[in-house]
Amino acid sequence: MTSVLAPPPQGSGLKPVPGVPGLPYIGSTLAVMRDPIGMARKRYARYGPVAWGWLLGQRTVTVHGPEAAQTVLVNRDKAFANGPAWSYFIGPFFNRGIMLLDFEEHLHHRRIMQEAFTRPRLQAYMEAMAPGIVEGVEAWEPGDGFKVYDHFKRLTLDLAVDVFMGVRLDAAERRRINGAFIDAVRAGTAYVRFPVPGLRWHRGLRARKVLEEFFYRHLPAKRRDGGDDLFAALCQAETDDGRRFTDEDVVNHMIFALMAAHDTTTITMTTMAYYLAKHPEWQERLREESLALGKARPGYDDLDRFTGIDMVMKESLRMVAPVPALPRKVVKDTSILGYHIPAGSLVVVPMLSNHRMAEWWPDPDRFDPERFSPQRREDRVHKYAWCPFGGGAHKCIGMYFAGMQVKTIYHQVLQRYRWSVPARYEWPLDTTSLPSPKDGLPVRLERLEPRR
């Protein structure tokens, strides 16, 4: 039975938000996690662009389409807050990361943090990454059942630790830190949201302690010695008026940055690998592009020449948004597309399904990188039709680093390997947390003979 979230104020001219709440607390949680795109399409067809229901224990307003996304993400009247929304999901595990701050405090932290993502810093990160990328990719063992997701995740974590921390870890320590990040991320969508031993929430809290200890142990040396890595940059960064991060700030931002730097990039590159295996003509096109560069290692200024990789990356981000939904807490009564949104509501912008809306994307379920070619640029139909990095004040601060990393890694992979999947293979995508293949994306990996 349809019900409304809350009646709008008399005389406001606003409409109440419709929806079907289902069971209290649970609502449509299980169905949304199993099939987020299908559920979004059903909800949109029945209720339109703004609807509500119970999701992970909260009364949640889901807003569909770029117009609604723009209202929420641009946030002109400062009605939508990041911190209390994300804190419900990941706050105990990624406390006071840049994404969990709001308004003036967020702006203050972002201004300092931007010093770690200037062009000279990005160039230094790229130079620091190059040997690790070559070493990591070269060590892959060809054959059947090569799990792409697992190998990319290991590589991106190694690079994040090397480039962002500037320290070398042994295999056991890398496994420990990698496991902690996995547990912290997965805890955000736990059904049982208190620390029952053995369940996701408890494992996430334990993981946070592991990560804090790890960063505090290395922090004094970074304050003292500096370096070209992100850790050193955050220790040294300051605004024109001399503001700097405290030790606690640095640790909080490092935990969040390492998660963002290796988890979302892993998802993006795995999605690219899946579609390049399903569409070998695109794989060959990208391989020819990399070989045509004529360099074993590209320079920073060479990245713009990887137009094919760029289109495939963007289309993969459209097909599978690494951060599938962007939540915001409503801090004062507001409206979205003429609907009354009362203070205290949780609003979610579902990027995973927004990027598949037929009104904005022709044949939305088809992999078609040419959408992003200069001749078509379907993403320009609306500024917020394609926004995997978010938008407004909270647009991802590391988006250029991510693109640089993806292109640099794929340049090495394409020159060394060809990969394929059986003709009828469809990956089992797990959408209960950040999207990832349940089977790790097993492919047949073949090493290429060097061209003479």
Side-chain angles (χ1 to χ4, degrees):
M1 180 181 294
T2 302
S3 63
V4 299
L5 178 65
Q10 286 189 345
S12 66
L14 298 175
K15 297 173 285 187
V17 177
V20 174
L23 294 173
Y25 190 85
I26 297 174
S28 59
T29 300
L30 300 179
V32 168
M33 285 186 167
R34 280 196 303 266
D35 183 15
I37 295 173
M39 284 297 295
R41 286 171 172 168
K42 289 178 183 177
R43 188 188 297 262
Y44 181 71
R46 184 169 182 181
Y47 300 111
V50 183
W52 83 279
W54 283 96
L55 188 66
L56 284 171
Q58 296 204 77
R59 297 174 186 266
T60 303
V61 178
T62 304
V63 297
H64 302 279
E67 294 288 349
Q70 182 170 20
T71 299
V72 174
L73 300 180
V74 173
N75 196 17
R76 287 194 174 90
D77 64 351
K78 292 182 168 58
F80 306 101
N82 257 39
W86 279 111
S87 292
Y88 178 78
F89 298 102
I90 63 172
F93 322 111
F94 297 99
N95 182 44
R96 295 185 62 76
I98 190 71
M99 196 169 68
L100 279 74
L101 304 178
D102 282 297
F103 310 125
E104 290 304 315
E105 185 180 34
H106 169 259
L107 184 60
H108 163 64
H109 280 250
R110 190 177 178 95
R111 282 174 176 162
I112 300 174
M113 205 166 185
Q114 280 174 335
E115 293 302 307
F117 290 96
T118 61
R119 181 183 173 91
R121 282 285 184 180
L122 290 174
Q123 288 175 309
Y125 299 153
M126 184 171 171
E127 290 173 10
M129 279 194 302
I133 292 173
V134 172
E135 180 182 343
V137 172
E138 184 63 33
W140 289 358
E141 296 183 5
D144 291 325
F146 178 91
K147 293 193 174 182
V148 172
Y149 178 83
D150 298 350
H151 283 80
F152 273 146
K153 190 166 184 63
R154 190 177 305 124
L155 176 61
T156 55
L157 180 63
D158 287 351
L159 293 174
V161 171
D162 291 345
V163 176
F164 281 8
M165 286 211 52
V167 297
R168 302 291 294 184
L169 304 180
D170 61 32
E173 183 74 341
R174 285 179 186 273
R175 285 194 298 270
R176 190 173 76 95
I177 299 303
N178 195 7
F181 275 111
I182 292 170
D183 286 346
V185 170
R186 291 183 67 81
T189 52
Y191 298 136
V192 179
R193 306 182 76 76
F194 49 90
V196 177
L199 298 186
R200 276 190 184 187
W201 196 262
H202 180 262
R203 291 198 299 269
L205 293 174
R206 189 173 57 188
R208 170 74 191 194
K209 291 180 181 178
V210 169
L211 296 173
E212 285 182 352
E213 183 277 330
F214 176 74
F215 284 107
Y216 276 117
R217 176 158 41 95
H218 289 281
L219 191 143
K222 285 297 167 185
R223 288 282 197 203
R224 182 186 67 243
D225 301 332
D228 289 329
D229 51 90
L230 178 66
F231 202 178
L234 293 182
C235 287
Q236 299 160 6
E238 62 179 65
T239 58
D240 292 339
D241 58 0
R243 294 186 179 186
R244 304 183 73 184
F245 283 141
T246 65
D247 286 0
E248 184 180 11
D249 290 335
V250 172
V251 170
N252 287 333
H253 287 314
M254 282 301 300
I255 291 174
F256 182 81
L258 244 73
M259 180 275 291
H262 91 279
D263 246 345
T264 54
T265 304
T266 295
I267 293 166
T268 300
M269 292 197 297
T270 303
T271 304
M272 292 171 67
Y274 171 66
Y275 285 108
L276 289 173
K278 298 279 284 183
H279 299 270
E281 72 282 3
W282 272 99
Q283 189 180 146
E284 291 304 321
R285 174 171 169 176
L286 266 55
R287 182 169 294 109
E288 290 301 323
E289 179 180 87
S290 274
L291 291 169
L293 183 66
K295 293 182 180 180
R297 298 182 186 178
Y300 188 83
D301 292 333
D302 293 321
L303 297 179
D304 288 340
R305 297 174 62 181
F306 294 138
T307 56
I309 296 177
D310 189 65
M311 288 192 292
V312 169
M313 178 179 69
K314 288 177 177 176
E315 176 69 340
S316 297
L317 286 166
R318 185 190 71 82
M319 297 292 286
V320 180
V323 180
L326 303 175
R328 299 289 189 270
K329 196 75 171 181
V330 180
V331 296
K332 63 181 179 181
D333 285 3
T334 188
S335 64
I336 300 174
L337 304 185
Y339 289 89
H340 170 61
I341 312 295
S345 304
L346 180 74
V347 172
V348 168
V349 181
M351 301 316 308
L352 191 66
S353 54
N354 270 8
H355 286 170
R356 300 279 196 103
M357 295 184 71
E359 291 90 332
W360 305 93
W361 299 96
D363 201 0
D365 296 330
R366 184 167 67 90
F367 177 74
D368 181 10
E370 290 286 357
R371 298 176 195 276
F372 294 92
S373 66
Q375 297 77 21
R376 289 171 60 183
R377 289 304 303 268
E378 291 179 9
D379 56 309
R380 288 183 175 173
V381 67
H382 190 285
K383 187 176 181 180
Y384 283 82
W386 183 83
C387 50
F389 299 101
H394 281 277
K395 193 168 187 177
C396 177
I397 198 169
M399 59 184 292
Y400 295 111
F401 174 85
M404 174 185 75
Q405 188 175 37
V406 168
K407 291 178 180 179
T408 306
I409 290 173
Y410 259 95
H411 178 65
Q412 298 300 332
V413 173
L414 288 160
Q415 292 181 98
R416 287 171 171 78
Y417 304 104
R418 178 177 289 109
W419 62 97
S420 58
V421 293
R424 295 185 180 180
Y425 171 82
E426 298 289 335
W427 67 347
L429 194 63
D430 182 354
T431 51
T432 59
S433 183
L434 299 185
S436 61
K438 295 176 184 178
D439 59 0
L441 182 56
V443 303
R444 177 175 177 76
L445 187 72
E446 304 172 62
R447 187 178 293 273
L448 299 172
E449 292 293 331
R451 290 196 179 182
R452 297 184 185 279

